Amino acid sequence: MVKVLITGAAGQVGSELVKLAPADFEVVGYNSSELDITNALQVQQIVAEQAPALIINAAAYTAVDKAESDAERAYAVNETGVKNLAEAALAIGIPVFHISTDYVFDGTATEPYKETDPVGPSGVYGASKLAGEQVLANSGVKHIILRTSWVFGAEGNNFVKIMLRLGKERDTLGVVADQHGCPTSAASIANVLWQLAQKYTEEGELTWGIYHFSNSPATTWHGFACEIFKQAVSAGVLEKAPVVNQIKTSDYPTPAKRPAWSVMDCSALANVLGSGVPGWQQELSTVLNDLNA
Ligand SMILES: NC(=O)c1ccc[n+]([C@@H]2O[C@H](COP(=O)([O-])OP(=O)(O)OC[C@H]3O[C@@H](n4cnc5c(N)ncnc54)[C@H](OP(=O)(O)O)[C@@H]3O)[C@@H](O)[C@H]2O)c1
């Protein structure tokens, strides 16, 4: 059995990583109260004691708007926390798989972002995640950085859950239609990370570095909301769909600026894994069935 230590195990992606672990892996999952990645000593002690073959970091400060007024905490988790994990991994000679975000880009592109495209985050959250990428890349640890976008799942708080709640409360909604991106299920992120873990344990190596991964095709938050309501009604999760009006980003001001374009080119990872990119509509249907069960 190959032992894998997972941080942030109660989060959207962390909980799917624990749930979807292949049989040949032994998972030791820690939630934030069991392992605080900002605590260097605790990280070192637990990593040394467990001696895993791999760390998957699913822990992060993900409150995008709150980060604007809470930069210290965002950097503590998203940069220092990653540094602590990298140092502990280096001490026992194991790799780290880490998750990052489309928010490292400035969102002004019109073509899908490649891994090599210039970064330029426009908010504290994106900047703190970029700092985490850099600290890991410069640590000397073998690493995978998986940048993903618009995460949803049955666990935790996300756009699907917010839409379902608003759909119950209101007859009409306005949803932003000028931000483009790719919704991505937490389960599909977990599956891809496990495929990479399997490849690493079978081959003893990987092509390390940054990869983009999201579900396809690209849409807008408005397009995503319409599909959520369509599927929720046919799955019996909602009685009736509200009217969903298109609004502009400027009609819905938020403390953190959102990228207008978040679409990423995921072909590099598909080449490494020899598999296609899952469609988010199908992933959404699985999540709605889970929520209905
Ligand atoms: N959500 C998205 O739309 C999105 C988009 C792109 C990329 N990502 C990235 O995907 C990854 C997973 O995100 P997610 O959606 O699964 O986030 P999530 O549901 O917010 O989960 C993050 C987990 O990290 C834990 N955590 C926070 N601070 C910690 C600390 N100091 N030590 C240990 N654990 C800590 C949280 O625990 P508490 O709740 O107890 O604080 C939470 O369980 C993150 O790296 C995120 O940046 C997410």
Side-chain angles (χ1 to χ4, degrees):
M1 292 278 266
V2 179
K3 193 190 261 193
V4 178
L5 189 153
I6 295 171
T7 58
Q12 290 198 85
V13 176
S15 58
E16 295 293 344
L17 278 165
V18 173
K19 199 160 78 186
L20 298 171
D24 42 345
F25 288 93
E26 178 195 351
V27 166
V28 278
Y30 290 89
N31 65 31
S32 60
S33 59
E34 296 159 341
L35 172 56
D36 174 358
I37 63 166
T38 67
N39 182 335
L41 189 61
Q42 192 185 37
V43 169
Q44 254 166 36
Q45 278 170 349
I46 290 179
V47 170
E49 187 184 297
Q50 290 291 350
L54 169 70
I55 294 174
I56 306 183
N57 179 32
Y61 182 107
T62 56
V64 175
D65 287 320
K66 201 169 156 219
E68 293 299 309
S69 53
D70 193 15
E72 200 179 322
R73 184 71 194 157
Y75 275 89
V77 180
N78 292 344
E79 182 185 29
T80 312
V82 179
K83 178 169 172 274
N84 292 339
L85 290 169
E87 283 173 357
L90 195 62
I92 62 164
I94 59 163
V96 173
F97 289 3
H98 176 63
I99 308 162
S100 193
T101 170
D102 52 320
Y103 280 36
V104 298
F105 295 113
D106 68 6
T108 58
T110 50
E111 292 292 320
Y113 283 110
K114 288 192 168 37
E115 288 82 352
T116 46
D117 283 341
V119 288
S122 47
V124 170
Y125 165 74
S128 69
K129 292 293 294 182
L130 178 60
E133 287 189 4
Q134 289 166 341
V135 93
L136 183 57
N138 295 330
S139 67
V141 162
K142 288 180 175 173
H143 61 273
I144 294 288
I145 294 169
L146 195 76
R147 290 186 186 139
T148 191
S149 61
W150 297 22
V151 180
F152 67 95
E155 300 293 330
N157 192 32
N158 56 61
F159 185 76
V160 174
K161 299 252 195 96
I162 294 168
M163 286 301 112
L164 293 177
R165 178 172 53 75
L166 293 177
K168 282 192 183 121
E169 293 168 4
R170 300 194 200 165
D171 295 327
T172 307
L173 290 180
V175 181
V176 171
D178 58 359
Q179 289 171 27
H180 302 262
C182 295
T184 307
S185 76
S188 68
I189 298 169
N191 276 327
V192 153
L193 288 167
W194 283 124
Q195 283 175 53
L196 285 167
Q198 252 161 341
K199 196 170 165 62
Y200 166 63
T201 50
E202 278 162 26
E203 297 173 11
E205 262 308 323
L206 269 183
T207 309
W208 305 101
I210 300 177
Y211 292 97
H212 290 173
F213 176 74
S214 58
N215 296 163
S216 69
T219 184
T220 63
W221 291 112
H222 176 268
F224 190 21
C226 290
E227 181 69 18
I228 292 166
F229 291 126
K230 189 176 113 195
Q231 289 200 20
V233 170
S234 62
V237 178
L238 262 190
E239 260 176 39
K240 125 179 183 316
V243 173
V244 189
N245 293 319
Q246 300 193 6
I247 63 168
K248 292 194 178 122
T249 301
S250 53
D251 299 326
Y252 187 73
T254 51
K257 194 172 165 227
R258 300 305 200 267
W261 181 265
S262 272
V263 184
M264 297 187 292
D265 180 334
C266 301
S267 55
L269 184 68
N271 285 340
V272 167
L273 294 176
S275 58
V277 174
W280 59 262
Q281 284 104 330
Q282 185 56 44
E283 296 294 309
L284 174 63
S285 132
T286 307
V287 166
L288 291 174
N289 284 336
D290 284 355
L291 289 172
N292 216 6

